[in-house]
Amino acid sequence: MSKFLNEKYQNLEVYVPGEQPQDMEYIKLNTNESPYPPAPSVIKAIDQAAVSDLRLYPDPECAGLIKKLACSYGVKPENIYLSNGSDDILNFAFMALSGFWGKVYFPEISYGFYQVYADLYQLDAVKVPLRPDFSIDYKDYCGVQGMVVIANPNAPTGLALSLEEIRKILDSNPDQVVIIDEAYVDFGGTSAVPLVAEYDNLLVVQTFSKSRSMAGARLGFAIANAELIADLNRIKYSTNPYNINRLTLLAGEAALDAADYYQSRCAKIIETRAYTASALEGLGFTVLPSLTNFLFVKSDHMGGQQLYEALKAKGILIRHFSSPKIQDYNRITIGTREQMNVMLDRIQEILRQDTSADWLNANTSKNRKDR
């Protein structure tokens, strides 16, 4: 740390992304990326002419993509905000929408960036404990004095609130912004977008990274009341009006035109998620019900850190969190069926080395037949 860094940032605890080691070839099940490529039309959109146009600035209003998004989600263009990934939107929201109280409420176990943003903007962060089953109690967010931020479905647990529960949070906080972060909603969740027409304090945030296979393109969007969107645009035009590049805008439009392709890929991931959950339960794992493209799991036979390290040694990356309340758990991204079978085989090898339990041999043969 240099002597020039402002002292108010010197103790900032940064967000740690999922690791990207380069020492060997890994099956990456640690960063919730899609195992499937973008739609062929998206790849085709990035042609030589598009690359040649990189000499030109992108449209700061993102008019073409915003129009298509508005049509896709049944809202008006003034209800759409685009940015360089959903993290950028959350950043601006924490910066500008926390309100009079300077306080923000979010689950104690959730997306790690929420705490980072709260610290960055010196907000009073209220981390609300989950229930013993890791679900969110909506009542904890009713009638609070500060902005509310909830990942729905939540990460890393994969559990979700109902629309009726979200509605109750909104009703009880008419003067506070409520952010519903829907990064994983396309894998079985229910979007709060229909509530935008009823509530001027609701900001729904989504991304192209997960269900649309564009994590590397960095494209996120928000849907909200027109005045909230105008607030976000005020921040955008005060920082970087060209925050989405030309190629990403083209890819985003092409992705919206390929809705059937992405729906079919989400269906495959959901099917593989159910298959993997069943197989892991057969190996003695506790598996939380998930509405995301990952599973949150705990082995009944070894610790989370031990399993993470053992799988990494065998070329498979999963995500381990050191927080005491979830240190026995790991988050496993859903890959292709073939990738998940490799992981399951490696887990069986690890468990066989770690235990001589008869149940493992019995379940190993059963799992192989089920595949």
Side-chain angles (χ1 to χ4, degrees):
M1 183 187 305
S2 81
K3 64 182 179 181
F4 303 106
L5 181 65
N6 190 308
E7 65 178 20
K8 67 181 180 181
Y9 300 127
Q10 288 181 4
N11 294 320
L12 190 66
E13 293 290 334
V14 301
Y15 175 74
V16 180
E19 60 184 324
Q20 308 269 7
Q22 306 296 319
D23 58 316
M24 61 182 285
E25 185 174 346
Y26 290 91
I27 295 178
K28 287 184 77 274
L29 306 176
N30 66 324
T31 49
N32 297 342
E33 297 153 319
S34 173
Y36 302 109
S41 59
V42 173
I43 298 171
K44 185 177 179 181
I46 312 301
D47 58 14
Q48 185 172 348
V51 174
S52 297
D53 282 344
L54 286 177
R55 64 188 177 83
L56 303 172
Y57 283 110
D59 173 16
E61 297 183 358
C62 309
L65 181 51
I66 282 180
K67 183 177 179 181
K68 283 195 174 184
L69 273 168
C71 182
S72 295
Y73 286 87
V75 298
K76 296 179 180 179
E78 55 263 38
N79 297 123
I80 301 284
Y81 174 80
L82 281 170
S83 198
N84 187 258
S86 59
D87 288 337
D88 210 35
I89 301 170
L90 294 168
N91 179 23
F92 285 171
F94 273 72
M95 178 197 300
L97 303 178
S98 57
F100 171 80
W101 300 101
K103 185 179 290 188
V104 58
Y105 293 74
F106 53 84
E108 178 184 22
I109 299 171
S110 194
Y111 185 30
F113 241 138
Y114 300 157
Q115 181 66 61
V116 174
Y117 291 141
D119 291 343
L120 181 63
Y121 298 113
Q122 299 182 326
L123 302 176
D124 182 7
V126 181
K127 295 189 288 186
V128 182
L130 300 179
R131 290 176 172 138
D133 65 355
F134 292 115
S135 65
I136 293 171
D137 187 343
Y138 79 90
K139 294 187 291 295
D140 291 334
Y141 300 88
C142 291
V144 298
Q145 295 179 335
M147 186 171 72
V148 172
V149 183
I150 296 175
N152 197 54
N154 193 22
T157 65
L159 306 177
L161 291 173
S162 68
L163 277 191
E164 187 56 34
E165 290 171 320
I166 292 172
R167 185 187 293 277
K168 290 177 180 177
I169 295 172
L170 289 162
D171 283 333
S172 69
N173 296 290
D175 298 321
Q176 312 292 343
V177 171
V178 175
I179 300 173
I180 302 299
D181 183 357
E182 296 185 344
Y184 302 100
V185 74
D186 293 330
F187 301 103
T190 301
S191 177
V193 167
L195 301 182
V196 166
E198 302 177 44
Y199 296 95
D200 63 4
N201 61 328
L202 172 62
L203 181 71
V204 180
V205 181
Q206 291 196 20
T207 178
F208 279 67
S209 294
K210 314 301 182 184
S211 60
R212 294 188 177 97
S213 304
M214 284 174 52
R218 310 311 304 134
L219 182 60
F221 62 99
I223 301 178
N225 173 276
E227 291 183 1
L228 264 184
I229 297 301
D231 291 340
L232 290 173
N233 276 316
R234 179 180 292 271
I235 303 300
K236 170 184 173 179
Y237 280 90
S238 299
T239 51
N240 179 14
Y242 300 112
N243 65 346
I244 303 177
N245 68 71
R246 297 182 66 91
L247 301 185
T248 293
L249 288 173
L250 288 172
E253 289 194 48
L256 292 177
D257 291 336
D260 289 345
Y261 172 89
Y262 289 109
Q263 288 171 5
S264 69
R265 294 309 180 270
C266 285
K268 280 189 175 182
I269 289 170
I270 291 169
E271 180 182 358
T272 305
R273 182 182 72 202
Y275 163 77
T276 306
S278 177
L280 287 170
E281 287 170 348
L283 293 173
F285 278 75
T286 298
V287 182
L288 269 62
S290 175
L291 292 173
T292 65
N293 67 337
F294 59 82
L295 293 171
F296 200 50
V297 308
K298 178 180 73 170
S299 171
D300 295 343
H301 302 279
M302 63 171 46
Q305 179 75 23
Q306 183 183 1
L307 178 61
Y308 154 75
E309 292 177 351
L311 279 173
K312 184 177 180 180
K314 291 179 177 291
I316 297 174
L317 295 175
I318 60 176
R319 190 73 188 265
H320 179 70
F321 300 91
S322 58
S323 173
K325 291 187 177 180
I326 56 173
Q327 64 183 356
D328 290 334
Y329 283 79
N330 288 299
R331 192 192 69 193
I332 301 174
T333 303
I334 301 301
T336 63
R337 180 78 166 246
E338 293 74 21
Q339 289 174 324
M340 305 318 286
N341 277 336
V342 172
M343 181 200 70
L344 291 167
D345 283 340
R346 299 296 178 269
I347 288 176
Q348 289 172 353
E349 292 171 5
I350 292 164
L351 292 177
R352 191 177 295 110
Q353 294 167 0
D354 191 68
T355 179
S356 59
D358 292 337
W359 65 266
L360 179 58
N361 292 324
N363 281 280
T364 296
S365 62
K366 177 182 183 299
N367 284 335
R368 288 188 180 280
K369 291 176 182 178
D370 291 343
R371 296 186 211 174

